[in-house]
Amino acid sequence: MDMKTPLSLALVFVSVFAVYCFDHALSTTVTYDHRALVIDGKRRVLQSGSIHYHRSTPEVWPELIWKSKEGGLDVIETYVFWNYHEPVRGEYYFEGRFDLVKFVRTVQEAGLMVHLRIGPYACAEWNFGGFPLWLHFIPGIQFRTTNDLFKKEMLRFLAKIVGLMKEEKLFASQGGPIILAQVENEYELAEWAYGVAGELYVNWAAEAAISLNTTVPWVMCRQEDAPDPIINTCNGFYCDQFTPNSPSKPKMWTENYSGWFKSFGYPIPHRPVEDLAFAVARFFEMGGTFHNYYMYFGGTNFGRTAGGPLVATSYDYDAPIDEYGFIRQPKWGHLRDLHLAIKHCEEYLIRSDPTHQQLGHNLEAHIYYKSSNKCAAFLANYDSELDANVTFNGNLYFLPAWSVSILPDCKNVIFNTAKVFHDLVVSQRILAHTTTANKLKLSATSWSWYVEKPGVWGNNSFTESRLLEQINTTKDTSDYLWYTTSINIMPGQSKEVFLLIESLGHAALIFVNKKLVAFGYGNHDDASFSINEKISLVEGNNTLDIMSMMVGLQNFGPWFDVQGAGIFSVVLIDPWNNKYDVSAEEWTYQVGLEGEYLGLDKVIHANSSVWIKGSVPPINKTLIWYKVSFLTPQGNGPLALNLTSMGKGQAWVNGQSIGRYWPAYLSPSEGCTENCDYRGEYDSTKCQKNCGQPAQTLYHVPRSWVHPGQNLLVLHEELGGDPTKISVLTRTSQEICSFVSEDDPQPADFWILNMGFGSRSPEARLTCEQGWHITSINFASFGSPQGNCGAFSVGTCHANILPMVQKACIGEEQCSVPVSTANLGDPCPGVLKTLAIEAICSD
């Protein structure tokens, strides 16, 4: 039951050799032809995955990259976010989470390659698309067009990053891991808005990139008019039909969305692995040779890095590695097997273009020949409903709807994209069913709090006789801007009026005479909103205080850099429909919160005299700061704060911002499905989860941000919540399952070129997280087991093989059990039998 095979040993040798090569700085040449990237004279079929170093911490980079390599990746793709590398013009930052050189070297040490997407425009649901806000305030500048001021700044940053990589000898020609670089990003989606200037800008950007002499190819993703020698690449859920804009360029896919990003107030997106695998297999079937998952690990939008508007703090993306760095099954495992199956075909894929063969309606094969009698084939059923039996090379094959089978010798199927969930088709390889978390309440005996007063709080406020746009006013130094004015009610005037407020976004609290009267907000697709509230005024002077809040700067679309935020109209309407426009009255402005000015989020101010102390904190109050200490849970894994009981705000642990939270914003109650059918084209709304629930309730706290003993938690609550119900979670165990039948394909790693599978049987495999071990077997039956993972039961045919599985698996990080009557006995001769196992992994 040892899982080592000749292929796995060979992969170990390749990895060791790759590390040796990198350590000894051997120069590598990278070019391309019409089929593939050519590395040291050899065409390569490459699997890549996006990991943004800024969305995790350096302490976990090695583990994330190791899990990516174990998952079958060859390349790590990452953006370079300009705004955090140059927060002030001419002042650069490459430390901590933003240590680009360290990240690239960590990838190199793992024996993987790097695709560096310098941009510098990134989109990526990152604040301002990765541009620094100081760029916006250069007089006369226009982004992403032939504007000389913008081109000068963009070229300067491109040169800075390329120069740094050269200085550190990180390009492939210098013995480094960087084999590709990217300039710009999906400009095709905005180019139409800039007219001829957009076309000229594309050519300029290409020339600027080439002039930097990286010695590796440059790409422009989703850019049909990318000029030679820049490679134009595809982004999307499917790219099998993509054709490069020149017959000399390879077919490359730089963004295959493994899921989608979360937004406050929206359901949680989910992309079934059967569809994701189908898309990947179709791409390679149709001539692709470089493919990247966006994302392979999504991570976290710590601090105020989330773009917008209203992008959530979690950037989990339903990726093969989840936000906390844990392997997501069955996605990770199924894709790993897919990568291995494609790798078995590499020598065929790089030798020739595919030969097409129609097998029936919505049924086809693509064959790659190495010689006249040696080939690899992909058999596809792209019908969204009907399964099919097809004949290929004289043999009969079953093809589930919306699936691809891979035959590395044009005969034996070693992988089918749909064969994951047993209740839909045949087998369930490995499924992480449930997770057990250790839950620690904040059982504090002492809380501290500080309540903000509505309105202007400091002597650095200023006055204007008009409503100001928020971004140009705050310069994104804070999410918050106070708008304050006075309303005078003369004797005889109505005191009951409607207050109509219109905002460009993203949210606002309204106070009349220091009392909260309304809260309004937009959504990710339309951040603007209006508030129409009946209010009661008093005779004489009344105060109107509006706390306008941003939730991430826009990061996408033409002219996104000039899209505004904040209040643009305030009107009073009396019972006789008379309107009084307050917009042009005198307004007093205050940037930020008083608590921000006082540094209440900072550890050094934890003992400030402004904090009020008590055993029970006030709850359900607006604009309140909370402070409490908590003990670090045992273990080495990441933590999560459960903020379900809170409304909207920001949180800090030991002075580190874990991001914005908004559990009070519920998604629509409709639009989700209990059992999503993976068949048919996917989009981000197809398989949504958690309707009627918050987009996010758990907030990631990296283990490296806490220390033994007491740790400081600070929250700024905007709407009102109950901090006493907050808990700290750690993951302690996970239930995993395997469900494999006698007639399932043998695992792809059993396949040996020119030898096939031999006499090997299918296997049931169980794999825990790195460092975790199988501590118990809850169920094991060979025969006709019923149910799903977490709820298996024995069927009419049953062999009790529990002792055998316990002996093979308990105490192991991974184990395998051959599925055959020779190994497990035959409880019902003549009947197709299945092995089902439920196990618990624990740290």
Side-chain angles (χ1 to χ4, degrees):
M1 297 182 183
D2 186 356
M3 292 185 67
K4 289 183 179 178
T5 65
L7 178 60
S8 65
L9 293 174
L11 288 174
V12 170
F13 171 78
V14 169
S15 300
V16 171
F17 179 73
V19 172
Y20 172 86
C21 290
F22 286 137
D23 286 346
H24 289 74
L26 297 181
S27 174
T28 299
T29 60
V30 185
T31 58
Y32 64 84
D33 62 18
H34 81 287
R35 282 296 296 130
L37 291 178
V38 179
I39 300 177
D40 280 343
K42 183 176 181 179
R43 291 174 177 167
R44 292 293 307 275
V45 170
L46 298 173
Q47 301 287 355
S48 174
S50 291
I51 298 177
H52 297 160
Y53 51 101
H54 344 61
R55 282 174 159 141
S56 60
T57 59
E59 291 78 11
V60 299
W61 289 345
E63 181 181 349
L64 296 175
I65 293 164
W66 179 85
K67 288 178 178 178
S68 302
K69 184 176 182 177
E70 287 290 298
L73 298 192
D74 309 289
V75 181
I76 299 298
E77 184 178 284
T78 190
Y79 279 124
V80 179
F81 293 131
W82 187 358
N83 51 1
Y84 279 80
H85 285 307
E86 193 179 5
V88 177
R89 190 180 188 280
E91 297 181 12
Y92 296 98
Y93 184 79
F94 292 96
E95 299 175 20
R97 290 189 291 123
F98 298 92
D99 192 338
L100 171 60
V101 170
K102 183 175 182 178
F103 179 76
V104 173
R105 289 204 185 283
T106 304
V107 176
Q108 181 179 26
E109 289 163 4
L112 299 183
M113 295 167 276
V114 172
H115 176 197
L116 195 65
R117 307 178 79 184
I118 307 173
Y121 170 66
C123 183
E125 292 72 57
W126 189 264
N127 199 47
F128 215 43
F131 284 141
L133 200 68
W134 56 257
L135 196 68
H136 171 75
F137 292 101
I138 295 176
I141 199 167
Q142 290 183 330
F143 289 11
R144 305 178 78 196
T145 185
T146 50
N147 180 273
D148 288 339
L149 295 168
F150 176 76
K151 291 193 294 183
K152 176 184 176 183
E153 296 298 327
M154 174 173 163
L155 180 57
R156 186 177 58 81
F157 184 72
L158 285 172
K160 173 68 179 180
I161 298 302
V162 170
L164 179 62
M165 298 300 99
K166 286 182 178 180
E167 181 182 321
E168 299 291 334
K169 295 182 169 39
L170 294 175
F171 285 108
S173 61
Q174 302 173 295
I178 301 173
I179 61 165
L180 280 173
Q182 179 177 302
V183 64
E184 250 297 335
N185 188 74
E186 296 187 325
Y187 187 67
E188 177 181 293
L189 298 177
E191 185 176 347
W192 61 270
Y194 299 89
V196 174
E199 298 174 21
L200 294 173
Y201 168 68
V202 170
N203 288 317
W204 171 84
E207 292 169 1
I210 296 300
S211 72
L212 296 172
N213 192 28
T214 60
T215 68
V216 300
W218 284 88
V219 306
M220 281 184 167
C221 69
R222 202 161 184 178
Q223 193 61 49
E224 189 175 350
D225 59 350
D228 293 343
I230 306 291
I231 305 169
N232 68 305
T233 65
C234 185
N235 289 0
F237 290 113
Y238 307 95
C239 282
D240 49 282
Q241 300 299 319
F242 170 75
T243 301
N245 65 9
S246 167
S248 65
K249 299 176 184 179
K251 183 172 180 173
M252 298 175 61
W253 192 355
T254 38
E255 290 189 14
N256 177 10
Y257 308 119
S258 57
W260 201 244
F261 59 89
K262 297 178 184 177
S263 298
F264 291 123
Y266 284 59
I268 297 175
H270 166 64
R271 188 178 187 186
V273 68
E274 300 96 327
D275 176 71
L276 183 56
F278 172 77
V280 176
R282 285 287 280 169
F283 177 71
F284 285 97
E285 174 190 351
M286 305 281 279
T289 50
F290 180 98
H291 160 260
N292 177 77
Y293 295 99
Y294 189 99
M295 304 289 295
Y296 198 77
F297 162 79
T300 307
N301 293 316
F302 296 115
R304 297 169 56 244
T305 60
L310 281 78
V311 171
T313 296
S314 170
Y315 202 66
D316 180 85
Y317 227 90
D318 197 28
I321 303 175
D322 74 15
E323 178 183 3
Y324 297 87
F326 293 106
I327 286 172
R328 171 174 277 119
Q329 296 286 21
K331 188 166 280 189
W332 183 89
H334 192 54
L335 296 176
R336 174 201 57 196
D337 292 347
L338 168 63
H339 303 153
L340 188 55
I342 292 170
K343 191 65 71 176
H344 282 313
C345 302
E346 181 170 12
E347 289 301 313
Y348 299 91
L349 295 174
I350 63 175
R351 291 294 183 94
S352 65
D353 294 323
T355 299
H356 176 260
Q357 182 178 332
Q358 198 67 35
L359 301 176
H361 180 65
N362 292 336
L363 301 164
E364 63 185 3
H366 285 83
I367 307 105
Y368 290 85
Y369 288 96
K370 189 175 180 180
S371 63
S372 60
N373 61 348
K374 290 185 177 181
C375 63
F378 294 75
L379 310 184
N381 178 357
Y382 51 95
D383 195 287
S384 61
E385 296 180 0
L386 301 176
D387 299 340
N389 290 297
V390 300
T391 300
F392 174 72
N393 281 359
N395 296 310
L396 187 65
Y397 298 91
F398 173 68
L399 288 177
W402 206 252
S403 78
V404 177
S405 287
I406 299 175
L407 292 66
D409 60 354
C410 281
K411 182 179 179 181
N412 289 286
V413 175
I414 65 169
F415 185 86
N416 179 272
T417 59
K419 292 190 176 183
V420 182
F421 291 108
H422 72 283
D423 55 336
L424 292 180
V425 282
V426 180
S427 74
Q428 181 171 334
R429 288 289 180 195
I430 175 168
L431 174 64
H433 174 64
T434 58
T435 297
T436 302
N438 185 23
K439 181 177 179 180
L440 299 175
K441 281 291 189 78
L442 298 181
S443 54
T445 56
S446 177
W447 286 83
S448 299
W449 59 90
Y450 178 76
V451 181
E452 298 248 357
K453 296 180 178 62
V456 172
W457 48 263
N459 57 15
N460 56 348
S461 60
F462 59 95
T463 302
E464 292 278 351
S465 295
R466 59 191 177 98
L467 291 171
L468 298 180
E469 191 279 324
Q470 185 163 350
I471 299 171
N472 286 308
T473 305
T474 66
K475 296 179 171 57
D476 199 33
T477 57
S478 171
D479 279 355
Y480 310 101
L481 177 63
W482 280 108
Y483 294 72
T484 296
T485 192
S486 296
I487 301 170
N488 190 35
I489 298 297
M490 303 295 289
Q493 285 186 305
S494 175
K495 299 172 186 176
E496 303 293 322
V497 297
F498 279 93
L499 175 63
L500 176 61
I501 295 176
E502 294 185 87
S503 173
L504 296 171
H506 305 152
L509 287 165
I510 314 301
F511 298 85
V512 173
N513 293 327
K514 308 304 178 182
K515 293 183 179 180
L516 179 66
V517 297
F519 173 57
Y521 50 90
N523 58 57
H524 172 69
D525 293 303
D526 182 5
S528 65
F529 62 92
S530 60
I531 296 173
N532 193 354
E533 188 76 19
K534 187 176 182 179
I535 62 173
S536 297
L537 302 174
V538 298
E539 189 173 298
N541 193 52
N542 298 263
T543 60
L544 173 62
D545 299 300
I546 304 173
M547 164 59 76
S548 181
M549 298 174 278
M550 292 193 299
V551 190
L553 298 186
Q554 180 61 263
N555 56 258
F556 176 76
W559 310 106
F560 77 87
D561 51 298
V562 295
Q563 291 187 28
I567 309 301
F568 69 89
S569 177
V570 179
V571 176
L572 296 176
I573 306 174
D574 68 16
W576 302 276
N577 209 32
N578 296 311
K579 296 181 180 180
Y580 172 40
D581 193 343
V582 189
S583 307
E585 295 298 317
E586 185 175 274
W587 289 84
T588 301
Y589 295 90
Q590 182 85 63
V591 175
L593 302 169
E594 185 179 17
E596 291 178 313
Y597 177 78
L598 295 173
L600 297 185
D601 57 305
K602 305 291 193 299
V603 175
I604 58 173
H605 294 135
N607 296 317
S608 170
S609 60
V610 304
W611 289 105
I612 300 171
K613 296 181 180 180
S615 58
V616 180
I619 64 172
N620 300 321
K621 287 188 67 68
T622 59
L623 301 181
I624 184 171
W625 293 77
Y626 294 107
K627 176 175 73 74
V628 69
S629 294
F630 67 94
L631 289 171
T632 304
Q634 291 183 342
N636 299 314
L639 314 178
L641 280 181
N642 187 335
L643 300 180
T644 305
S645 64
M646 303 304 289
K648 178 183 183 296
Q650 298 182 46
W652 297 262
V653 171
N654 293 329
Q656 299 270 16
S657 174
I658 64 171
R660 303 180 181 99
Y661 64 84
W662 200 348
Y665 197 169
L666 304 183
S667 67
S669 59
E670 297 181 350
C672 294
T673 177
E674 192 73 23
N675 297 304
C676 177
D677 187 348
Y678 70 87
R679 299 174 302 176
E681 289 199 1
Y682 175 83
D683 63 52
S684 61
T685 64
K686 181 179 178 181
C687 296
Q688 297 179 130
K689 299 179 177 180
N690 280 45
C691 282
Q693 302 295 320
Q696 183 177 1
T697 57
L698 301 182
Y699 289 79
H700 179 205
V701 181
R703 176 65 68 162
S704 60
W705 288 6
V706 296
H707 45 253
Q710 296 290 331
N711 294 268
L712 180 68
L713 170 64
V714 174
L715 302 105
H716 176 251
E717 173 58 46
E718 300 163 12
L719 303 182
D722 186 351
T724 65
K725 295 180 180 178
I726 295 173
S727 56
V728 182
L729 306 178
T730 58
R731 188 175 297 186
T732 57
S733 66
Q734 191 170 50
E735 183 175 24
I736 59 174
C737 300
S738 189
F739 189 96
V740 181
S741 296
E742 291 178 288
D743 66 344
D744 278 351
Q746 294 94 325
D749 57 2
F750 281 0
W751 178 264
I752 300 175
L753 192 64
N754 299 322
M755 296 178 62
F757 286 118
S759 58
R760 305 292 289 268
S761 303
E763 280 191 351
R765 292 179 171 180
L766 300 171
T767 303
C768 298
E769 280 290 326
Q770 183 183 12
W772 290 29
H773 296 86
I774 297 170
T775 54
S776 65
I777 304 295
N778 292 347
F779 181 89
S781 174
F782 182 58
S784 56
Q786 305 297 309
N788 297 304
C789 184
F792 283 136
S793 61
V794 298
T796 55
C797 173
H798 166 64
N800 181 13
I801 45 103
L802 182 63
M804 178 189 299
V805 176
Q806 289 173 328
K807 182 178 180 180
C809 296
I810 289 181
E812 301 295 327
E813 189 171 303
Q814 56 185 9
C815 67
S816 59
V817 179
V819 181
S820 67
T821 54
N823 183 56
L824 302 175
D826 193 349
C828 41
V831 176
L832 179 68
K833 289 166 282 294
T834 296
L835 172 61
I837 304 174
E838 291 179 6
I840 298 294
C841 290
S842 175
D843 64 349

